[in-house]
Amino acid sequence: MNEAALRELLNAVGSARITTDEALTRLRDWPYENLGYARIDHHRTLRKGAPEVVFCEGKTPEQAVEIFVRLVERNGRAMATRVGQAHADAIRKRLSAACYHPEARVIIVGEPMVLSEDSCPFVLIATGGTADIPVAEEAALTVEFNSIRAERLYDVGAAGVHRLLDQRMLLAEAAVVVAVAGMDGALPGLIAGLVACPVIAVPTSIGYGTGLGGVAALMNMLNACAPGIAVVNIDNGFGAGYLASIIARQKVQIAT
Amino acid sequence: MNEAALRELLNAVGSARITTDEALTRLRDWPYENLGYARIDHHRTLRKGAPEVVFCEGKTPEQAVEIFVRLVERNGRAMATRVGQAHADAIRKRLSAACYHPEARVIIVGEPMVLSEDSCPFVLIATGGTADIPVAEEAALTVEFNSIRAERLYDVGAAGVHRLLDQRMLLAEAAVVVAVAGMDGALPGLIAGLVACPVIAVPTSIGYGTGLGGVAALMNMLNACAPGIAVVNIDNGFGAGYLASIIARQKVQIAT
Amino acid sequence: MNEAALRELLNAVGSARITTDEALTRLRDWPYENLGYARIDHHRTLRKGAPEVVFCEGKTPEQAVEIFVRLVERNGRAMATRVGQAHADAIRKRLSAACYHPEARVIIVGEPMVLSEDSCPFVLIATGGTADIPVAEEAALTVEFNSIRAERLYDVGAAGVHRLLDQRMLLAEAAVVVAVAGMDGALPGLIAGLVACPVIAVPTSIGYGTGLGGVAALMNMLNACAPGIAVVNIDNGFGAGYLASIIARQKVQIAT
Amino acid sequence: MNEAALRELLNAVGSARITTDEALTRLRDWPYENLGYARIDHHRTLRKGAPEVVFCEGKTPEQAVEIFVRLVERNGRAMATRVGQAHADAIRKRLSAACYHPEARVIIVGEPMVLSEDSCPFVLIATGGTADIPVAEEAALTVEFNSIRAERLYDVGAAGVHRLLDQRMLLAEAAVVVAVAGMDGALPGLIAGLVACPVIAVPTSIGYGTGLGGVAALMNMLNACAPGIAVVNIDNGFGAGYLASIIARQKVQIAT
Amino acid sequence: MNEAALRELLNAVGSARITTDEALTRLRDWPYENLGYARIDHHRTLRKGAPEVVFCEGKTPEQAVEIFVRLVERNGRAMATRVGQAHADAIRKRLSAACYHPEARVIIVGEPMVLSEDSCPFVLIATGGTADIPVAEEAALTVEFNSIRAERLYDVGAAGVHRLLDQRMLLAEAAVVVAVAGMDGALPGLIAGLVACPVIAVPTSIGYGTGLGGVAALMNMLNACAPGIAVVNIDNGFGAGYLASIIARQKVQIAT
Amino acid sequence: MNEAALRELLNAVGSARITTDEALTRLRDWPYENLGYARIDHHRTLRKGAPEVVFCEGKTPEQAVEIFVRLVERNGRAMATRVGQAHADAIRKRLSAACYHPEARVIIVGEPMVLSEDSCPFVLIATGGTADIPVAEEAALTVEFNSIRAERLYDVGAAGVHRLLDQRMLLAEAAVVVAVAGMDGALPGLIAGLVACPVIAVPTSIGYGTGLGGVAALMNMLNACAPGIAVVNIDNGFGAGYLASIIARQKVQIAT
Amino acid sequence: MNEAALRELLNAVGSARITTDEALTRLRDWPYENLGYARIDHHRTLRKGAPEVVFCEGKTPEQAVEIFVRLVERNGRAMATRVGQAHADAIRKRLSAACYHPEARVIIVGEPMVLSEDSCPFVLIATGGTADIPVAEEAALTVEFNSIRAERLYDVGAAGVHRLLDQRMLLAEAAVVVAVAGMDGALPGLIAGLVACPVIAVPTSIGYGTGLGGVAALMNMLNACAPGIAVVNIDNGFGAGYLASIIARQKVQIAT
Amino acid sequence: MNEAALRELLNAVGSARITTDEALTRLRDWPYENLGYARIDHHRTLRKGAPEVVFCEGKTPEQAVEIFVRLVERNGRAMATRVGQAHADAIRKRLSAACYHPEARVIIVGEPMVLSEDSCPFVLIATGGTADIPVAEEAALTVEFNSIRAERLYDVGAAGVHRLLDQRMLLAEAAVVVAVAGMDGALPGLIAGLVACPVIAVPTSIGYGTGLGGVAALMNMLNACAPGIAVVNIDNGFGAGYLASIIARQKVQIAT
């Protein structure tokens, strides 16, 4: 139930089209819905401007399906992350319209309402290497699910800085940059030295020896010298995409 | 030399008011100025929309003064962070107009061009406790130095959540929230659960035992469940303030 | 052999119903029983008020069965934790009455003597998310095995604080709260800010990137600002349930 | 303002002895009091059964004094921890009745309302060595401030286990044991193997080489094999004493 | 080739029973034997008093077999550790007399020359729990391979200290104690508080949450308060057994 | 396209043998080639003196093949590291001439142009044990791919220092030594104490308990007392081989 | 009270030279003496064969003096470690015969009963560098306090291995070697490769960068490839000396 | 005594200009000189091509002076690192010619034999920031002490990448680059992406929050994507300078 639906409901009560009891019934589950093992936060769309996204890791396929279906019922669309094959199969069995992106381990129901005009502000998703792409795709799909255009710029890492410098124009136009990198994690710092917009850094768990599952990249990004960067957790493409989209949306809303 | 000054200079060349040689002389030091031990990045104002800020830790007072003075000469104003008493004394001896904030260890020359109307977008700086205030002040002064209004909301930490819930209105109006917290670092996650705007989290090195100089708070913030958060380095008030201000500025620029 | 049985035995000797030799034979294995690879602590029921619970991880199924059966023989009931499927199968083959809880990886023989009246003090088991439920169930089953009522309140984590605040009444009535959370581990601190009773925090190994298998949640909980919290080891539902039950029992014993 | 005072106030309104406006004036600052840099949580006495205790580390002496005085004004008594000499001097200048315990770095105003009869439940504070005493004293003073009797049993660490076994009687009678130890931190586990009551473990930062400022002791305590233990943060005597006292109080309240 | 064989060879040269050339041929491979991928240290028996023991982890079965066979050819007996099933099968195919201990992952050819009299000094191998037995067996077999009697005392961990105290006589008679423990690793410190002989501590990787694969136990043992302890690496039963046997041998050699 | 080819192309333009447009077409992909998911750095041969080497971990077999083939097309030869069996099969299906080294997980197309004369400077690859050989082979193959002779000296670790001292002559002749060791990682420090040439240390992830996947060896090598050492990342045989070859090449180039 | 004194006392009772009451009075404080803040373990001489040694860090000078004096009164001699100047001054004021070794921070009363003949077994204390000497001296003084001869061999670290090899004779004769080293900590492994006797390794907190206060050396020693090593805590010269002396004493006792 | 002096001595014996006894006397201290607390490695000049450099940290001023003077006596020149003011004063009192560089904490006696021609190969020392200069100077002075030309390029860090790109010519000419950086440590990776020569990376302990005293920079450098880098320990300017000079010397020696 999004804001518009809520306003409509209240108007219906106000104009006596429905009774208070009817309204109460429909509102009863509104703040959250208790499935016993989970309390779905239907209130979030109103409070945060975006519906709850299901994090599947650690949930049984049955739990994931149940929560996902309830979200679709309320909001008409839903997204889940960290979706393994078993979860995806279970969800698609119930909702054949669900679209599974195995590389990003994301499943989506409902059209991403991407703002189509090229003139709109966009989020640029950049990766240091090819192996960072799954995390980047999680970010990009999240951006698009939040109705913001996402541009992809992959494999422009620090070992060959000319590959990045060639794209200065694209960098300069981005409303936000999400920079995804493993290994030494130098990419976000480099980009932040080149652009004026916010840079959201995502360390990935890709890399040799002391990368320690992304901790080296994380520490590098936290210590980047150029200002204008903040960091999300290792491999947390969703978090970066979500934050980037709410920053970019400010430009969109006011521009229209 | 900011963008306006550069355009003026180029126009002067174009209209033959000054010779190419004169322009070259004035542009010679433009990209950066080499002091031997430091290369001042005068180009940054243009590239990043904000002048370089001097990080004093690890620099001798003499080096700090020299760099700071050059920045003032070029830009008419300047800011330095991590300014110890010795650095502050040395700078104020040369620039008596410099204003030192000992708690935040920040020194500033030139009026912060804060947008005064109350209707303008603002950055909300919140702290978990009283001991987090120095870092919060570094952030707030940085925001103001970047010409954005900063509101302070101190000591609203998680141990008494009603202190925070009371301020829901203020939280809802902020363009960005900078949440500064040591100890368990739960504040940013709580706030992100309440607001729709971006939250920049700053872990501080305050706390008991296993806080490990802020690492516990940092890890907590990176793992916060609510989306819409990104994290800067421990005690890095400047970084958070800088990022918050460039996000908030998007609203400002388009609004005007 | 529990305290009552021991008293009975000693009385039997005192009233010459059995000989000293007979008593000695029955007492011979009393302090502990040596199986070669294990020394079962039969003395614990007397000393600690609860029988030894078998920790199966690292034991072969044969060893686990043997120890478990001995405990049942002595005490009429027994509980084991970290019970994999192979262990469970082996135990149930010998003791068909054994009840296996696969999610919690717990096996129990003998009726949990839960105090049935609703007026009795109870332990509240709360989780931050759905994925924390297995650890919470280990705690809840342990509480019930120790004859204390357990109430479950799942998926009330910090990302939607209103889900928790709605349950303030339930929180206020608990004798002890066991708060189970992974990710940022903010739940116990939040609860401790709301209740006057002791809070036992259990970090879980669920979460993204730098969660480091629960260390982030652990550190967070240790650094929680609200007083009245102590922490057990990562995923140690049994330890939390055990401690909670001996705290709650104080109220019970005196109340009766 | 404690619960009794609040009830009295409400009764006064109910019986029209004071006007609603007068009541409102007196209640205005009740939930918390905003000093700008701090929001004192006067509501806590009601919510948690104990007044807020001031944590002085990271606060200026001026801030500490101001907060402390406000608490004394409201509650008639107050306690502060992590009180350095400068803080203590400043507080005692304003409140000559304040009693400073330099070893424990604790300052208290108002009589600890210790329940004097020997028959009352008590908290036993045990230390592994002499060097752990400052942390133990912070715990003991906190217990007494919360009106529970505290017994001290110092230097009974694991290197000479007979020193501990000699005190089995005292251990058996305690309602709760607070076990404070640095070095290898084995004390809490040993005690938990001997008693049936809850054990709160406090690691201290005392020790050789890899003690890593208490982390070794902390990890040891978290991994203790005997059930019935939970752990607070390194050197957090206050946290342990607070939790111990609220557990012990359950026995007291019902016993009376 | 052991010391006796070398002396015999040299005497043969001295008495002209063999030519220098023949001696050289037999001595050619003496210091070590180069297999290309490995240089077997035949010199070690002489230098260290014990033959090289093969560490199989990281070697292919073929390499392990080849090295093991060469050692048997030279010394008449050999031992290998960290022997997986594949390695064991390969070795036993070549040397059917090889005896595989799967729990300890040890393989041995040749009779352990254990000193049989009960009056001989012995090494006591103690474990905290049942799950520590594989590491303890690696130690015990190593002790016996080095011709010292090994006594086993398993599952006497700190959670039920009376199980340990019952064995004080056995502890008092040991020449060396190898104390193997995971979890909190308190066992070695306890034992060192009771005995006058050296204690070799072996942390194991068994345990809950923050055990961090044995690091908690390791740190605990390094910080044990009782003197007379030293520690070997996590799960390094071989290292502990080896060191214990060379300490015990001193008593043996002089006693005879 | 190597330097010679580029010069030839430019000469062709200069002498009008090809048009500028033709040259541009051929140069279009020169700096890098965009495959969407990867940007191949063809410029590197010129800039770094060696072609890009494909790091396969984290890439799909399809991506790895595509990149590898493009490199072969440009340079006539190519090398890939961290090549799993699936990657190798895919590559060999397209390029039957590709030679796969499964132990080192390296695949190579094109003859390593090893300088054959024995008098040429060579890189010595030494390992502490047999289990370090896969990493050493990655280094050796990289050296040879860069046209430098590699000598192998395996299993000369610190536990039997005479095995190393025997090879002093070989050590003295090396232009660079690559020292590969796990466990305690003492080998590079020992070698650096014996030779005058640079030593590149490679920690490996082989070892007992606290080796922590190579971190112990890495820290040991960074703290080696003998000067003349630098360290690459854990298991990074490629990095060590690459660096060693560009150091050795200096001698070669000038010598010829 | 040592073993001889106890036997004398019991004989006196047996032969009625003193009454039981008199004996009881003298035995009353025997197991330990309670000073309130400390329980001195007078029983240790009997149980462990060596009197308790006072660890001064974390004790006030007054506490240290009191404990030290009691030990001297009982045993005629005493030793304390980690003795700062203030502690030393306080002790020497009471006991002018106390001898302070400032470098090792050790204070001793009573003649070390070093076995003077050169033929006796001895402990060899070796250091890697000059900066490790304070820790080595703590070990050496402890060995001598336990009546074993100590030989010193300083600055023979791994960077110049010939300095160590020159001393092979001395190494071969030692009953035990205590190897003290910071930096890379390679010394103990090297020595263990050369000798047949036990090697006790002591990491020190000396060193560059990632030495992390001795953790690098500690990890190195735990991972040393040569068998026959065990490790004590960082900078724990006392622990190493104590263990070495009880190993060496076995040889002495039987030899005489 | 360098190689030339040794050859001269041997020639003198060969031609009977001095007797064998005289030669022996002069050679007696040759391999190393035993000062009791230190064994000076005079052999190193021959073995390693450079005299031992005194590491002063952890040595008393008296020890430092004595060792330093002996080195000067033998070699005519000497260098010491980590020289505090007290050490410097003590050395200069004995050797007034000693030149102290307080920023780099280096002291040198004897002319650095820098190869003066501009055409000679040189080592380029680059720093990320001004605060890294002390470590860089330690490196540069070491390079010059080893008779190689050092060029300095300071404050060209990653936050303003154009400052570095401007110096591409200088970078291209260097025989070796020593890249010194704290914070995010991205500089060496960037440089390695631009040059063909070896890059020695030195992490420094400068930086915000999670820099953890240089560990973040260290990990970053170890994980740098561009090949051709190796890393020395944190703040180890000497180690980097030493290694760089022996690499550069290869070019020099052959060139002449």
Side-chain angles (χ1 to χ4, degrees), chain G residues 124-242:
Chain G
L124 181 66
I125 318 282
T127 74
T130 299
D132 304 315
I133 293 180
V135 174
E137 279 298 308
E138 191 186 79
L141 290 167
T142 303
V143 167
E144 292 170 350
F145 185 73
N146 280 350
S147 305
I148 302 293
R149 182 155 63 96
E151 292 290 330
R152 288 151 172 90
L153 178 61
Y154 291 164
D155 196 30
V156 291
V161 74
H162 64 293
R163 290 184 290 199
L164 180 64
L165 296 180
D166 269 19
Q167 308 293 334
R168 247 184 286 202
M169 195 66 73
L170 190 62
L171 287 164
E173 289 171 355
V176 187
V177 177
V178 171
V180 184
M183 295 283 204
D184 65 1
L187 187 66
L190 268 178
I191 291 179
L194 297 171
V195 302
C197 74
V199 175
I200 312 301
V202 192
T204 65
S205 52
I206 300 303
Y208 275 80
T210 60
L212 293 178
V215 171
L218 169 64
M219 289 173 76
N220 182 14
M221 292 168 177
L222 286 169
N223 286 285
C225 300
I229 301 182
V231 186
V232 298
N233 211 349
I234 297 165
D235 291 338
N236 188 0
F238 165 70
Y242 184 94

Side-chain angles (χ1 to χ4, degrees), chain E residues 37-39 63 82 218 233, chain F residues 130 154-155 162-163 208 210:
Chain E
Y37 52 83
R39 283 158 209 269
Q63 292 172 339
R82 304 291 163 108
L218 169 65
N233 211 349
Chain F
T130 299
Y154 291 164
D155 196 32
H162 63 292
R163 292 184 287 200
Y208 275 78
T210 59

Side-chain angles (χ1 to χ4, degrees), chain H residues 123-146:
Chain H
V123 173
L124 182 67
I125 319 283
T127 75
T130 299
D132 304 316
I133 293 180
V135 174
E137 279 298 308
E138 191 185 81
L141 291 166
T142 303
V143 167
E144 291 170 350
F145 184 74
N146 281 349

Side-chain angles (χ1 to χ4, degrees), chain C residues 44 46-49 174-176 191-200 218-219 222-234 236 238-239 242-243 246-255, chain D residues 44 46-49 174-176 191-200 218-219 222-234 236 238-239 242-243 246-255:
Chain C
R44 187 175 296 188
L46 205 73
R47 201 172 69 241
K48 298 273 302 182
V176 187
I191 292 178
L194 296 172
V195 302
C197 74
V199 176
I200 313 300
L218 168 65
M219 288 173 77
L222 286 169
N223 287 283
C225 299
I229 302 181
V231 187
V232 299
N233 211 351
I234 297 164
N236 188 359
F238 165 70
Y242 185 95
L243 179 57
I246 64 176
I247 295 175
R249 194 187 299 152
Q250 294 187 341
K251 274 195 155 172
V252 176
Q253 287 174 333
I254 300 169
Chain D
R44 187 175 297 189
L46 205 73
R47 202 173 69 241
K48 298 274 300 181
V176 187
I191 291 178
L194 297 171
V195 302
C197 74
V199 176
I200 312 301
L218 169 65
M219 288 172 76
L222 285 170
N223 286 284
C225 299
I229 301 183
V231 186
V232 297
N233 211 349
I234 296 164
N236 188 0
F238 165 70
Y242 185 94
L243 179 56
I246 64 175
I247 295 174
R249 193 186 300 152
Q250 295 186 339
K251 274 195 156 174
V252 177
Q253 287 173 335
I254 301 169

Side-chain angles (χ1 to χ4, degrees), chain B residues 63-77:
Chain B
Q63 292 173 339
V65 169
E66 204 58 40
I67 298 170
F68 196 79
V69 165
R70 300 292 171 106
L71 284 168
V72 172
E73 287 172 5
R74 292 272 152 184
N75 301 293
R77 53 198 289 268

Side-chain angles (χ1 to χ4, degrees), chain B residues 57-172:
Chain B
E57 219 167 272
K59 295 196 175 67
T60 64
E62 293 70 33
Q63 292 173 339
V65 169
E66 204 58 40
I67 298 170
F68 196 79
V69 165
R70 300 292 171 106
L71 284 168
V72 172
E73 287 172 5
R74 292 272 152 184
N75 301 293
R77 53 198 289 268
M79 174 174 174
T81 62
R82 305 291 164 108
V83 183
Q85 194 62 51
H87 291 86
D89 291 347
I91 289 172
R92 298 196 54 195
K93 204 168 157 188
R94 281 280 290 278
L95 295 165
S96 59
C99 173
Y100 183 49
H101 304 258
E103 193 182 30
R105 292 198 292 156
V106 161
I107 205 162
I108 290 175
V109 160
E111 275 308 288
M113 294 174 291
V114 183
L115 297 173
S116 50
E117 297 100 312
D118 282 3
S119 63
C120 283
F122 64 90
V123 173
L124 182 66
I125 319 282
T127 75
T130 299
D132 303 317
I133 293 180
V135 174
E137 279 297 310
E138 190 185 82
L141 291 166
T142 304
V143 167
E144 292 170 350
F145 184 74
N146 281 349
S147 304
I148 302 293
R149 181 157 63 98
E151 292 291 330
R152 288 149 172 93
L153 179 61
Y154 291 165
D155 196 32
V156 291
V161 74
H162 62 292
R163 290 184 289 201
L164 180 64
L165 296 179
D166 270 20
Q167 307 294 332
R168 245 183 289 200
M169 196 66 74
L170 190 62
L171 287 164

